[in-house]
Amino acid sequence: MCGIVALIGSREAAPQLLEGLRQLEYRGYDSAGIATVHQPQQGAAALHCLRAEGKLVNLTARFEAQGAPGLCGIGHTRWATHGKPEERNAHPHLDASGELAVVQNGIIENYRSLREQLQASGVLFRSDTDTEVIPHLLAGQLRQLQAKGEPASGALLLQALQQVLPLLQGSYALAVVWAQTPAALVVARRSAPLLIGLGEGEFLCASDTPALAGFTRTILPMEDGEVALLTPLGIELYGADGGRRQRSPSLLSGTEQVVDKRSFRHFMLKEIHEQPETAALWVARHLPEDPGGHLVALPFDEDFYAGVERIEILACGTSRHAAQVGAYLLEQLAGIPANVFYASEFRYSPPPLSAHTLTIGVTQSGETADTLAALAMEQERRSLVADPSFAPRLLGITNRPESSLGRLVPHLLDIGAGIEVGVAATKTFLGQLLAFYGLALAFAERRVGRGPNREQLKTLVVGLRAMPQQLRQLVEEHDRRCAELAHRFESTQDVIFLGRGINYPIALEGALKLKEISYIHAEGYPAGEMKHGPIALLDARVPVVSIAMPGKVFDKVLSNAQEAKARDAQLIGVAPGGKDTEIFDLLLPVPEVDELLSPLLTVIPMQLLSYHIAAHRGLDVDQPRNLAKSVTVE
Ligand code: F6R
């Protein structure tokens, strides 16, 4: 949520800043800006700030017209939290003299009181943002230090920032440049990601790895509370206590490619088409023909599985839907009671502590603030209990092992789907589902006797191995089919998605995908629950998408679909073809597989139907309004 970049070195900063912002645009795209510091051969250095409302192209056009010289600069692409998406609220924000510029990702929770204090001392604010308090506070601090005779320097800017940060409450990653120090910039983070990339005689700092991937593979992720001074000569890193820190950099993993749409019209479509490959890589990694005496190869030792009696899963949005499928599998396959929580709710109303509990955080970005905070809270409250049976046992499921999640939890399942740029999660959802299949099978095979027997588990493994090929056919077929159908939804305003059992979370996911990219109102319901209220919404204008896969609840779902049809609803079936499914007005056919595996297939028509409806409406599928890919604020 909001992308920030900062560069210092020996080349013009602005083009690289704009390229970095291009790679981060999926984090926010309602406005963007850069500020550079230019030291002319003669005379004083000056700050150049460009900002533009809307997409990055507007800022790029402004840069091409006006330029922004300088070897040092900062940039920002915004997802509005405080203040409307207008140019005056775009970052960077400046102090009154126009010499200091700040970009920030996060929320300064106490900005109101800080703003009031600053206003009382005569400061005029030019935006509605929480961020603008920072340049004003910094300017005041620098004035005080300079009044004592301290000359302008990077060290002075660092000192001022270190004095201002304790005044800020909330989470942030920020970068600052100052016209009086053209060869220095400072950065800081608290509970929001920030990484420094080490180039040759230059340093690039960014809130997410895609901005760094085309620049360098050598990175130094900043830790919570750290502050850094960057000059063309090197980095000085300090902890929140002011102490100097030394740490070796690490290498970006191979999956962090520079993003490219290839020949697809949208990233989302490309990512939907990448799912067979996501599954193939997952099968190759975790279901090898000889996984050493086990059915599944996961990167955990036996202690990880021992004595787990309960599982709690924390997640948001699409990740939460994957978690719901996961909980179903963990209960039905492995016989372990499993509960899924909205991370944002869990934080403030956690359930009573249970013993021998594994806590799983699911977040594709590894940066979702609510999920991270809920996990940290759970770790802390469990650590305070003397009884060792309540000790924290934490696992993260993510697509970004280098993320904050990766640093928070001791065990990690990397879904390895490669970077996902489309704001609507698709291939990472499939990756999360697969991670849960692996986990549930791994627990189940260690608990045979309490659920399915080993032969049944082996059958599921065979079914999973066949998934990449089945997905390949399904994606191709439904891409064509959904493209042909999209025009039928031109005037649709509401859609109901029904599913039961293991496909209920897929109904939720279908509704979420449609809402977020097409702006059509959609609801996902457990099919049996319709008659308890939502059926009142139905008439001929409300299509009902019903997931009806053979298994325990097949007949029940068909009966529920009949109830909708009797109210004139247009019925769309996600189901195998055949006599039973002739009740559907439209069929999105999915091959019959073991019901437990069916979510891996039923989600495909959901994704493609939403995609084509939104694309047919001419909407910005990859960057839907009001959304951001990585939600790093509470
Ligand atoms: C929906 C979507 C969001 C995310 C949610 C959690 O398509 O992408 O609902 O699933 O913001 O994000 P992560 O998984 O990064 O924690």
Side-chain angles (χ1 to χ4, degrees):
M1 204 160 251
C2 297
I4 66 175
V5 284
L7 178 75
I8 188 155
S10 52
R11 60 169 147 160
E12 283 299 305
Q16 181 68 45
L17 291 173
L18 289 169
E19 173 55 22
L21 292 181
R22 193 174 72 81
Q23 303 293 341
L24 293 183
E25 204 179 9
Y26 66 93
R27 292 181 70 110
Y29 33 81
D30 60 46
S31 55
I34 55 171
T36 54
V37 177
H38 178 50
Q39 174 66 71
Q41 293 213 323
Q42 292 188 337
L47 191 92
H48 297 261
C49 183
L50 299 176
R51 305 188 300 181
E53 188 179 326
K55 295 285 178 66
L56 190 61
V57 289
N58 300 346
L59 178 68
T60 307
R62 201 156 279 188
F63 167 70
E64 278 158 10
Q66 298 174 21
L71 311 181
C72 162
I74 56 179
H76 188 272
T77 175
R78 180 169 187 252
W79 184 87
T81 58
H82 294 71
K84 289 194 168 166
E86 293 168 356
E87 186 175 325
R88 68 196 188 87
N89 289 326
H91 297 217
H93 291 288
L94 309 185
D95 72 324
S97 71
E99 289 200 332
L100 265 174
V102 175
V103 290
Q104 193 256 143
N105 165 31
I107 293 184
I108 308 304
E109 287 168 357
N110 59 335
Y111 83 100
R112 268 198 202 85
S113 61
L114 293 170
R115 190 175 167 117
E116 279 163 20
Q117 288 163 28
L118 287 160
Q119 281 170 330
S121 66
V123 172
L124 288 177
F125 277 77
R126 284 170 288 203
S127 77
D128 303 325
T129 65
D130 52 337
T131 302
E132 198 187 339
V133 296
I134 304 173
H136 295 306
L137 287 169
L138 263 176
Q141 212 62 39
L142 282 166
R143 264 196 307 277
Q144 283 182 25
L145 291 167
Q146 288 188 302
K148 290 184 195 155
E150 302 272 359
S153 67
L156 193 75
L157 183 58
L158 177 78
Q159 190 184 347
L161 184 63
Q162 283 170 318
Q163 288 167 350
V164 164
L165 292 179
L167 306 176
L168 308 178
Q169 288 166 14
S171 58
Y172 52 76
L174 57 85
V176 186
V177 286
W178 187 25
Q180 297 191 27
T181 53
L185 65 84
V186 289
V187 294
R189 69 155 283 199
R190 186 201 290 162
S191 307
L194 200 58
L195 308 102
I196 302 173
L198 286 69
E200 301 218 343
E202 56 183 0
F203 300 95
L204 183 83
C205 192
S207 49
D208 204 353
T209 47
L212 295 165
F215 175 81
T216 180
R217 303 204 74 78
T218 312
I219 59 159
L220 189 68
M222 287 179 70
E223 287 180 2
D224 219 32
E226 284 185 340
V227 183
L229 168 65
L230 276 59
T231 72
L233 302 177
I235 305 167
E236 288 177 25
L237 195 63
Y238 296 87
D241 56 1
R244 182 86 187 258
R245 292 201 172 163
Q246 306 279 1
R247 224 179 16 259
S248 305
S250 50
L251 281 183
L252 265 183
S253 69
T255 53
E256 298 305 327
Q257 306 299 336
V258 177
V259 293
D260 173 15
K261 239 186 279 183
R262 303 212 314 263
S263 56
F264 290 95
R265 188 169 156 206
H266 293 102
F267 278 109
M268 182 180 174
L269 188 59
K270 173 184 142 235
E271 287 155 4
I272 291 172
H273 276 266
E274 282 170 352
Q275 290 178 111
E277 184 61 13
T278 306
L281 288 172
W282 185 87
V283 167
R285 240 184 319 147
H286 300 298
L287 298 179
E289 289 300 332
D290 180 18
H294 286 294
L295 293 174
V296 196
L298 296 185
F300 310 130
D301 57 28
E302 286 305 313
D303 284 353
F304 171 82
Y305 301 100
V308 173
E309 286 175 9
R310 180 168 286 278
I311 294 181
E312 52 189 22
I313 316 178
L314 317 177
C316 303
T318 285
S319 295
R320 187 174 158 277
H321 299 152
Q324 287 177 285
V325 174
Y328 188 101
L329 293 169
L330 287 160
E331 291 196 335
Q332 305 303 321
L333 272 183
I336 309 176
N339 291 91
V340 180
F341 298 87
Y342 288 105
S344 54
E345 292 294 320
F346 185 90
R347 291 185 64 183
Y348 300 102
S349 48
L353 282 177
S354 52
H356 305 294
T357 299
L358 173 68
T359 308
I360 306 179
V362 192
T363 159
Q364 75 81 19
S365 64
E367 300 294 353
T368 296
D370 283 318
T371 308
L372 295 178
L375 282 169
M377 190 270 277
E378 188 62 350
Q379 181 171 37
E380 194 186 336
R381 74 171 180 147
R382 287 184 173 275
S383 307
L384 298 174
V385 182
D387 181 343
S389 59
F390 289 90
R393 306 170 71 148
L394 263 52
L395 163 69
I397 297 180
T398 187
N399 197 32
R400 309 296 292 275
E402 76 291 350
S403 64
S404 303
L405 177 80
R407 292 191 288 280
L408 179 68
V409 296
H411 297 104
L412 210 59
L413 262 183
D414 174 8
I415 63 177
I419 191 122
E420 184 177 72
V421 173
V423 162
T426 51
K427 64 174 178 173
T428 56
F429 177 71
L430 189 92
Q432 290 167 340
L433 290 184
L434 288 166
F436 275 114
Y437 280 94
L439 199 64
L441 282 168
F443 270 111
E445 63 173 324
R446 285 165 178 81
R447 298 162 69 96
V448 163
R450 299 191 230 185
N453 62 38
R454 200 170 162 84
E455 284 316 303
Q456 288 168 311
L457 298 179
K458 275 188 182 164
T459 311
L460 287 175
V461 169
V462 172
L464 283 167
R465 288 208 181 103
M467 275 298 149
Q469 186 51 27
Q470 282 180 304
L471 284 166
R472 210 158 277 133
Q473 281 166 6
L474 209 60
V475 169
E476 292 301 331
E477 180 184 340
H478 285 290
D479 193 6
R480 272 194 308 277
R481 210 175 180 99
C482 294
E484 284 160 18
L485 291 177
H487 70 277
R488 298 199 190 196
F489 297 84
E490 260 160 19
S491 56
T492 300
Q493 292 186 350
D494 307 276
V495 180
I496 303 284
F497 289 79
L498 301 179
R500 274 182 101 138
I502 198 164
N503 275 301
Y504 163 52
I506 304 301
L508 295 178
E509 178 59 8
L512 180 62
K513 286 287 90 90
L514 188 66
K515 282 189 257 221
E516 62 185 343
I517 59 170
S518 72
Y519 317 140
I520 294 174
H521 169 246
E523 297 288 344
Y525 264 96
E529 192 61 21
M530 272 299 279
K531 52 191 171 298
H532 299 290
I535 201 162
L537 294 171
L538 297 188
D539 62 28
R541 289 165 305 175
V542 181
V544 172
V545 179
S546 175
I547 308 171
M549 293 302 286
K552 271 194 216 167
V553 287
F554 186 48
D555 295 337
K556 307 283 171 207
V557 177
L558 292 177
S559 308
N560 300 139
Q562 290 281 13
E563 289 155 15
K565 194 169 177 132
R567 273 84 193 170
D568 294 330
Q570 189 200 355
L571 267 193
I572 302 161
V574 174
K579 243 180 135 350
D580 291 327
T581 52
E582 278 168 4
I583 59 158
F584 293 114
D585 301 306
L586 269 176
L587 187 68
L588 298 174
V590 171
E592 184 172 347
V593 287
D594 188 312
E595 188 183 19
L596 283 176
L597 299 180
S598 62
L600 294 164
L601 299 180
T602 53
V603 73
I604 301 297
M606 300 291 176
Q607 296 170 342
L608 283 162
L609 189 64
S610 299
Y611 169 78
H612 281 293
I613 291 174
H616 183 76
R617 291 183 171 212
L619 296 170
D620 191 345
V621 172
D622 286 331
Q623 297 183 341
R625 70 183 181 205
N626 303 340
L627 298 179
K629 182 79 186 154
S630 182
V631 185
T632 53
V633 295
E634 267 190 65

